[in-house]
Amino acid sequence: MQPIALAVIGGTGVYNLATLDDVQTHEVETRFGTPSGPIRVGSLLGHRVAFLARHGEGHSLPPHKINYRANLAALQQIGASRVLALNTVGGIGDDFGPRVLACPDQIIDYTWGRISTLCEEAGSDVLHVDFGHPYTPMLRSKILAAAKVTGVTVRDGGCYAATQGPRLETIAEIARLRRDGCDLVGMTGMPEAALARELGLDYACLAIVANWAAGCGDGEEITMAEVLSNVQAASNGLPELIGELARG
Ligand code: HPA
C-alpha cells in the first residue's frame, strides 16, 4: 500500500474531498480520545490523501469543542506526516477580501480555555517546542509552488488571528487585531498548529477568506449563506492544488 502523501483537515464549508477515488473509511481512537469524525482515505490524481472534517461531517462541533489533539494524533496514527489545514476565515487586511486564498506565515493566539499542549496529563514530559515559524516553512513553499503549477492564485504570507468564537468579533475587536498586525481571523487555527508542532507533523494552512471581518470592507452584516457561497467559489481550484501538493 502506498504511504499517505498528505492529510487534509477541512474547515467550515469543506466537509469532504469529492474528488477522492477508492475511498476507505477509518474510525480511529487515540490516546487523546475520538477525532471529529471518520478519516476518509482515497486516491487523488494517483496519490493517497487522507481527509478529516474538523467540525465533523455535519458541522456539529464548535471551535472550542473540537478535540484538536485527537484529530492530529489520529492522522499521525494512520501514517500521515504532512497536514494541510484548510481554514475558513474573515479578511482584515485590504488584500485579503472574500474569496482570496492565503497561505499565512504567522499566528497570534487569542483563544482561551482550550487544551493546547500534549503535556496536559500529570507525568507527561513538558515540551517547549520552537514556534517562531508556526507553519512548516518547507510545506508552505510546496503549497505556493503547487498553486503556481495549477494556476491557483494564493497570497504568500499574512498573520492569522485565532479567536475563541463561536460568535463573530465586534468591530472594536477586529480594529484591535488590525493594530496587532493581523490580516486574517478564524477560530480554529490554534491550538491546532501548536499541537502539530509538538507531534512533529509538518503542518501549514491554506486560509479561505469567506467574508470581510467585522467593520472591514463594505461593513455589511456577515451571514452564513455568504460565508458558504464564498468558500465554495474560492475552493474550485483546490482539488488540483491538493493533488499537485500530494505529488511533491
Ligand atoms: N471571524 C472569525 N472566524 C471566521 C470569520 C470571521 O469573520 N469568518 C469565517 N470564520
Side-chain angles (χ1 to χ4, degrees), residues 90-180:
I92 299 173
D94 296 343
D95 297 334
F96 296 85
R99 303 193 179 187
V100 164
L101 296 175
C103 187
D105 58 356
Q106 280 299 326
I107 299 175
I108 300 181
D109 186 8
Y110 300 90
T111 66
W112 49 269
R114 303 183 183 185
I115 297 178
S116 55
T117 177
L118 304 180
C119 28
E120 181 71 11
E121 289 74 22
S124 52
D125 287 340
V126 177
L127 301 166
H128 293 293
V129 291
D130 183 279
F131 203 49
H133 297 283
Y135 301 113
T136 307
M138 179 57 89
L139 187 55
R140 284 193 69 255
S141 301
K142 289 191 170 173
I143 291 169
L144 294 167
K148 204 167 221 175
V149 169
T150 52
V152 178
T153 303
V154 174
R155 287 202 66 83
D156 177 3
C159 182
Y160 178 111
T163 55
Q164 179 69 3
R167 66 164 176 82
L168 295 165
E169 298 74 28
T170 66
I171 291 173
E173 286 168 338
I174 293 295
R176 172 195 171 204
L177 300 188
R178 187 195 283 273
R179 288 194 299 275
D180 283 356

Side-chain angles (χ1 to χ4, degrees), residues 88-90 163 168-169 185-187 210-211 213 222:
T88 299
V89 298
T163 55
L168 295 165
E169 298 74 28
V185 55
M187 303 172 191
N211 55 277
I222 301 162

Side-chain angles (χ1 to χ4, degrees), residues 20-236:
L20 280 187
D21 290 326
D22 304 322
V23 177
Q24 288 184 331
T25 297
H26 298 253
E27 306 269 2
V28 184
E29 276 300 314
T30 80
R31 65 192 192 278
F32 303 112
T34 312
S36 299
I39 300 174
R40 313 279 181 194
V41 181
S43 168
L44 182 62
L45 306 175
H47 302 280
R48 270 182 96 220
V49 171
F51 180 85
L52 174 63
R54 187 185 284 112
H55 296 272
E57 290 181 348
H59 198 121
S60 52
L61 289 166
H64 63 292
K65 292 284 189 195
I66 291 167
N67 189 339
Y68 296 94
R69 300 198 303 178
N71 285 353
L72 291 165
L75 293 171
Q76 193 169 47
Q77 256 170 251
I78 63 163
S81 61
R82 298 200 301 167
V83 177
L84 172 67
L86 301 178
N87 293 86
T88 299
V89 298
I92 299 173
D94 296 343
D95 297 334
F96 296 85
R99 303 193 179 187
V100 164
L101 296 175
C103 187
D105 58 356
Q106 280 299 326
I107 299 175
I108 300 181
D109 186 8
Y110 300 90
T111 66
W112 49 269
R114 303 183 183 185
I115 297 178
S116 55
T117 177
L118 304 180
C119 28
E120 181 71 11
E121 289 74 22
S124 52
D125 287 340
V126 177
L127 301 166
H128 293 293
V129 291
D130 183 279
F131 203 49
H133 297 283
Y135 301 113
T136 307
M138 179 57 89
L139 187 55
R140 284 193 69 255
S141 301
K142 289 191 170 173
I143 291 169
L144 294 167
K148 204 167 221 175
V149 169
T150 52
V152 178
T153 303
V154 174
R155 287 202 66 83
D156 177 3
C159 182
Y160 178 111
T163 55
Q164 179 69 3
R167 66 164 176 82
L168 295 165
E169 298 74 28
T170 66
I171 291 173
E173 286 168 338
I174 293 295
R176 172 195 171 204
L177 300 188
R178 187 195 283 273
R179 288 194 299 275
D180 283 356
C182 299
D183 302 296
L184 305 161
V185 55
M187 303 172 191
T188 53
M190 286 290 281
E192 197 173 88
L195 292 166
R197 181 62 52 83
E198 286 190 347
L199 283 164
L201 293 163
D202 285 338
Y203 178 96
C205 163
L206 189 58
I208 306 170
V209 183
N211 55 277
W212 283 114
C216 302
D218 53 19
E220 298 258 309
E221 185 183 333
I222 301 162
T223 65
M224 207 52 200
E226 171 200 5
V227 164
L228 294 177
S229 87
N230 282 334
V231 170
Q232 200 163 24
S235 300
N236 278 338

